């Protein structure tokens, strides 16, 4: 079973060894450690991960004012500025890492993505435009082309002499790449491919660098030779004259115009009318056409060939995953910093207003998202390491590539959705100040909005994950004998009977003896959290797998209808699986924390993440008999206890992200609010001390009105 299959299936069963290890894991402060403290420096180093030095270099670069987004520019001004910023990246050796040493690169695929993920700090438009140029256009030439292509084009791509486009998406087909309509038909008499968009829906759309800057493109089209369509392949196509910047004959396009965000990127549309390119412009690592039109490929299966070609481009999803985590960290650092300074309402004192972060609801809003951000950060690092292992060649089997694809498809949706949710919640938690562009929440929220749908629509990606989970589930029983299968069915029936009759809930209640304290101890235990999270994934996958059993033998229309009727459950199972991966990544990271105090605080944060997931899906756990009502009621109470424990360490936890004022660039995170609050408090105190404070009307002694002048009552 492959690595990811082990996670998908194996981790959904709590082994005795895992339970034993979990029982020994720290879940409370060690003896004598009444007030644990966070080692901010050590935690910050752990969060930086394997490519810490590259991240530091990228952050230093992102702190430079010439790379910062200037709010209020027109979209044409923003585009000009962003293109100029790409040259700064070239001058500072920030774009070469992933390319081959033969052309001046360093073959460092993980380090390359780690650096690009941090560019969102400066301006998301810069990060994405850099990603288009080097992570998509350049990467396609690098991974889909061969040595000749590398020598011919990569130096110019790296130096920005050849700004380029990644022309895959069409107006009529986004996520369904296999169905794109642009064709590249081989003409053996001329030794050329003829690239053509047969109708309007086949135009390449939303293409970065297409509206103004792109001189060339990697165009994805259906390769047709000798009357046979061999599926989607990639072709290098020159778009514009380098001198005039006008489209070459047969090529046209439009500007997509102003967007909801990322307006530093010149997205546009491209179309081709019988555009002829040399046969050697086919990026032919996985499929080639000889001079006589004969097609050949090292991969016999068309389906496998297609997914292999697209798999080489997974770094876009890996990059977005990490960039989204970075944006969440920026937002939480700003919002939590502000919440420790901003005061509002005098609930517990007649003279002092409350700090926002002391309100339980404020803690709920921010700390639960802080816990998720930590989980997403540790999972993102694991994804990046897996990506580097595959692309470096250290672990590059078909199984490894499938695992990487599935892991990226699982984590990218969660981190991008989480970033949007976190930015919005942090904006609201900062009130009107959060809505000001100077504090960046609204701007980042707008720029990251499209992260949820490009490099793969999040919902479609989760469906891919679900299909992988079903495939792994099916493998479990493909070759088992009747006796094993019968025992499994009996076990499933017994388990279902226990859950549905509520026997498990009764057993839990008896074990807890009605004690909220015992129930809390049970759900905060690492093994219990793992069991609840894994059981949900396993049950959901098994139920859908059973419902879809035999779908492949049905007529196509009926099989599709059956699959569609369970699509929602499939996607929910995939999301539960991805959340489990994040929880496991957090738990694994805990094992690497040396400082006892830091480990205690991070354990609280991990528990907050795990219990928040359980609380979010509490109805499922109750309806399926996985939790008793006693324990169900305890979940929310224990979360509130965790919030209080985490409160003294909140600033340390966001300081460990390692972002300074030059990265945040938010006025409310500069200490200005604290200065204002201190000034106000000093003023009021001086008034009181000097006897100059006016008396509040409500504090005046009650006066008795003269007879006959009583206040009339209605």
């Amino acid at each position: 079973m492959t690595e990811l299959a082990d996670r998908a299936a194996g981790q959904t069963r709590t082994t005795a060894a895992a339970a034993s290890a979990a029982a020994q894991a720290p879940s409370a402060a060690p003896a004598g450690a009444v007030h644990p403290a966070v080692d901010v420096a050590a935690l910050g180093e752990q969060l930086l991960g394997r490519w810490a030095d590259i991240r530091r270099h990228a952050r230093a670069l992102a702190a430079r004012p010439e790379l910062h987004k200037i709010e209020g520019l027109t979209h044409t001004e923003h585009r000009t500025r962003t293109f100029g910023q790409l040259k700064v990246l070239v001058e500072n050796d920030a774009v070469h890492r992933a390319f081959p040493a033969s052309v001046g690169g360093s073959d460092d695929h993980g380090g390359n993505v780690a650096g690009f993920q941090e560019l969102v700090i400066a301006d998301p438009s810069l990060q994405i435009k850099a990603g288009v140029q080097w992570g998509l256009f350049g990467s396609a030439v690098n991974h889909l082309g061969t040595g000749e292509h590398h020598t011919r084009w990569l130096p110019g791509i790296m130096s920005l002499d050849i700004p380029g486009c990644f022309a895959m998406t069409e107006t009529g087909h986004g996520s369904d790449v296999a169905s794109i309509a642009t064709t590249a038909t081989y003409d053996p008499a001329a030794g050329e491919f003829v690239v053509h968009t047969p109708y309007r829906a086949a135009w390449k759309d939303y293409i970065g660098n297409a509206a103004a800057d792109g001189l060339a493109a990697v165009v994805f089209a259906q390769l047709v030779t000798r009357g046979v369509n061999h599926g989607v392949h990639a072709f290098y196509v020159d778009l514009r004259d380098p001198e005039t910047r006008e489209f070459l004959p047969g090529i046209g396009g439009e500007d997509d115009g102003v967007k909801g965000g990322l307006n530093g990127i010149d997205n546009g549309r491209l179309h081709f009318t019988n555009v002829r390119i040399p046969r050697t412009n086919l990026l032919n690592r996985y499929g080639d056409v000889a001079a006589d039109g004969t097609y050949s490929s090292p991969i016999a299966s068309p389906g496998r060939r297609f997914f292999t070609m697209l798999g080489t481009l997974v770094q876009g999803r890996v990059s977005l995953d990490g960039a989204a985590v970075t944006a969440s960290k920026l937002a939480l650092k700003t919002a939590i910093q502000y919440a420790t300074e901003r005061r509002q309402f005098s609930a517990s004192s007649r003279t002092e207003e409350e700090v926002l972060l002391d309100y339980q609801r404020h803690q709920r809003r921010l700390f639960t998202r802080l816990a998720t951000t930590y989980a997403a950060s540790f999972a993102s690092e694991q994804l990046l390491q897996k990506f580097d292992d595959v692309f470096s060649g250290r672990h590059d089997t078909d199984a490894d590539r499938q695992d990487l694809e599935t892991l990226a498809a699982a984590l990218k949706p969660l981190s991008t959705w989480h970033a949007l949710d976190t930015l919005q919640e942090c904006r609201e938690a900062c009130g009107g100040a959060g809505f000001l562009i100077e504090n960046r929440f609204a701007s980042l929220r707008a720029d990251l909005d499209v992260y949820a749908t490009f490099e793969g629509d999040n919902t479609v990606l989760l469906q891919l994950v679900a299909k992988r989970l079903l495939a792994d589930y099916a493998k479990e029983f493909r070759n088992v004998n009747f006796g094993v299968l019968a025992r499994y069915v009996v076990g499933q029936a017994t388990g279902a009977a226990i859950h549905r009759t509520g026997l498990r809930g009764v057993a839990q209640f008896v074990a807890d003896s009605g004690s909220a304290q015992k129930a809390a101890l049970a759900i905060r235990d690492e093994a219990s959290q793992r069991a609840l999270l894994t059981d949900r994934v396993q049950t959901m996958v098994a139920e859908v797998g059973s419902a879809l059993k035999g779908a492949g033998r049905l007529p196509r229309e009926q099989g599709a209808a059956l699959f569609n009727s369970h699509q929602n459950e499939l996607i929910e199972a995939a999301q539960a699986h991805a959340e489990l991966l994040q929880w496991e990544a957090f738990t694994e990271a805990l094992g690497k924390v040396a400082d006892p105090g830091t480990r205690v605080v991070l354990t609280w944060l991990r528990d907050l993440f795990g219990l928040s997931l359980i609380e979010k899906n509490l109805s499922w756990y109750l309806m399926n008999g996985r939790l008793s009502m006693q324990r169900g009621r305890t979940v929310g109470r224990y979360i509130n206890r965790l919030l209080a424990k985490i409160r003294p360490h909140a600033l340390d936890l966001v300081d460990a992200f390692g972002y300074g004022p030059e990265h945040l660039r938010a006025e409310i995170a500069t200490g200005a609010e604290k200065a204002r609050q201190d000034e106000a408090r000093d003023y009021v105190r001086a008034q009181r001390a000097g006897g100059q404070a006016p008396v509040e009307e409500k504090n005046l002694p009650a006066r008795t009105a003269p007879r006959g002048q009583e206040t009339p009552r209605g």
Side-chain angles (χ1 to χ4, degrees), residues 115-432:
F116 276 129
Q117 288 174 342
E118 300 291 335
L119 290 179
V120 73
I121 298 167
D123 182 352
S125 284
L126 171 60
Q127 189 233 349
I128 298 303
K129 194 170 177 76
V132 168
Q133 174 66 18
W134 295 293
L136 292 176
F137 174 58
S139 180
V141 174
N142 187 20
H143 295 301
L144 299 179
T146 52
E148 177 192 350
H149 301 127
H150 296 170
T151 302
R152 196 191 324 175
W153 293 313
L154 285 183
I157 292 171
M158 294 165 65
S159 68
L160 203 60
D161 288 340
I162 309 176
C165 307
F166 184 80
M168 176 183 282
T169 298
E170 296 180 356
T171 304
H173 286 97
S175 297
D176 185 8
V177 178
S179 298
I180 61 174
T182 300
T183 57
T185 305
Y186 184 62
D187 178 0
E192 296 173 329
F193 282 99
V194 181
V195 181
H196 186 63
T197 46
Y199 44 77
R200 177 61 184 81
W203 284 22
K204 300 299 180 179
D205 211 342
Y206 320 114
I207 309 300
N209 283 347
D213 295 329
L215 295 181
V218 170
V219 177
F220 288 80
Q222 305 284 352
L223 189 159
V224 179
T225 181
R226 292 186 170 183
V228 177
N229 183 354
H230 292 278
V232 176
H233 288 65
F235 302 82
Y236 185 96
V237 180
D238 290 308
L239 296 178
R240 289 181 171 92
D241 184 301
E243 301 300 325
T244 66
R245 297 280 168 157
E246 297 294 326
F247 280 124
L248 295 172
I251 299 174
E254 296 176 351
D255 192 326
D256 276 326
V258 179
K259 308 180 294 290
L262 297 179
N263 280 302
I265 305 170
D266 55 320
N267 293 91
R269 306 179 183 97
L270 297 170
H271 58 85
F272 307 91
T273 304
N274 297 319
V275 175
R276 290 182 171 268
I277 60 173
R279 177 178 63 89
T280 53
N281 278 28
L282 166 64
L283 300 180
N284 61 344
R285 179 176 177 182
Y286 296 107
D288 198 11
V289 174
D292 66 356
T294 303
Y295 180 83
S296 62
S297 171
I299 304 174
S301 165
R304 184 162 157 261
R305 185 188 315 134
F306 170 75
F307 284 109
T308 299
M309 284 193 284
L310 263 62
T312 62
L313 308 173
V314 70
Q315 75 179 57
R317 293 170 188 169
V318 179
S319 299
L320 291 183
D321 172 64
V325 172
T326 297
S328 297
K329 290 176 178 178
L330 291 173
L332 286 162
K333 166 61 181 171
T334 297
I336 288 177
Q337 180 77 48
Y338 180 69
T340 62
E341 300 172 1
R342 180 79 161 99
R343 293 176 178 273
Q344 192 80 5
F345 303 112
S346 51
S348 62
S349 169
R350 292 185 178 182
T351 59
E352 294 285 336
E353 290 184 286
E354 302 291 329
V355 172
L356 290 185
L357 204 58
D358 286 341
Y359 288 108
Q360 184 189 79
R361 182 59 184 172
H362 216 75
Q363 295 169 5
R364 271 262 186 172
R365 301 173 77 177
L366 299 181
F367 293 174
T368 52
R369 289 168 175 83
L370 178 63
T372 303
T373 300
Y374 263 82
S377 181
F378 290 130
S380 181
E381 175 68 14
Q382 289 187 350
L383 172 61
L384 186 54
Q385 291 185 18
K386 181 68 177 176
F387 168 80
D388 188 68
D389 285 344
V390 168
F391 279 77
S392 68
R394 286 190 299 273
H395 301 286
D396 188 15
T397 65
D398 283 344
D400 287 317
R401 285 186 174 263
Q402 288 179 38
D403 285 348
L404 172 61
E405 278 286 315
T406 310
L407 190 57
L411 296 181
K412 181 261 184 182
L414 263 61
S415 59
T416 53
W417 275 331
H418 171 66
L420 295 175
D421 171 68
T422 299
L423 285 162
Q424 182 64 24
E425 195 67 32
C426 287
R427 201 294 290 163
E428 294 181 26
C430 293

Side-chain angles (χ1 to χ4, degrees), residues 529-666:
Q529 290 178 42
R530 177 181 280 112
L532 286 168
L533 295 173
T534 56
D535 180 52
R536 181 165 182 260
V537 177
Q538 185 181 31
T539 301
M540 294 173 80
V541 173
E543 286 180 349
V544 179
S546 298
L548 295 179
K549 186 178 179 180
R553 296 190 295 272
L554 294 174
R556 182 169 181 171
E557 183 178 347
Q558 294 179 25
L562 179 60
F563 186 89
N564 186 56
S565 68
H566 294 281
Q567 187 180 42
N568 190 60
E569 297 101 297
L570 277 168
I571 291 171
E572 287 187 349
Q575 183 164 345
H577 168 73
E579 291 166 344
L580 171 61
L581 293 180
Q582 290 182 331
W583 185 91
E584 290 285 4
F586 202 151
T587 302
E588 185 176 323
L590 273 174
K592 300 175 182 178
V593 178
D595 176 66
T598 304
R599 191 164 61 251
V600 168
V601 176
L602 280 187
T603 300
W604 293 337
L605 200 64
R606 192 281 314 274
D607 290 348
L608 177 59
F609 174 62
L611 294 178
S612 294
L613 292 176
I614 293 167
E615 184 183 51
K616 180 178 73 172
N617 300 295
L618 194 55
S619 60
W620 186 93
Y621 288 105
L622 293 172
M623 287 190 297
N624 287 275
R626 267 51 169 188
L627 281 176
S628 65
M629 292 299 295
Q630 173 71 22
R631 289 194 186 181
R633 285 192 295 268
T634 305
V635 173
R637 297 172 191 166
Y638 191 66
I639 284 176
N640 291 338
R641 290 177 58 192
L642 287 171
L643 298 175
K645 290 182 177 182
I646 293 167
R647 167 63 179 95
H649 310 284
L651 276 180
D652 286 343
L653 289 169
V654 292
D655 285 347
F657 293 154
Y659 297 122
E662 70 278 16
H663 301 123
L664 301 178
R665 303 194 306 282

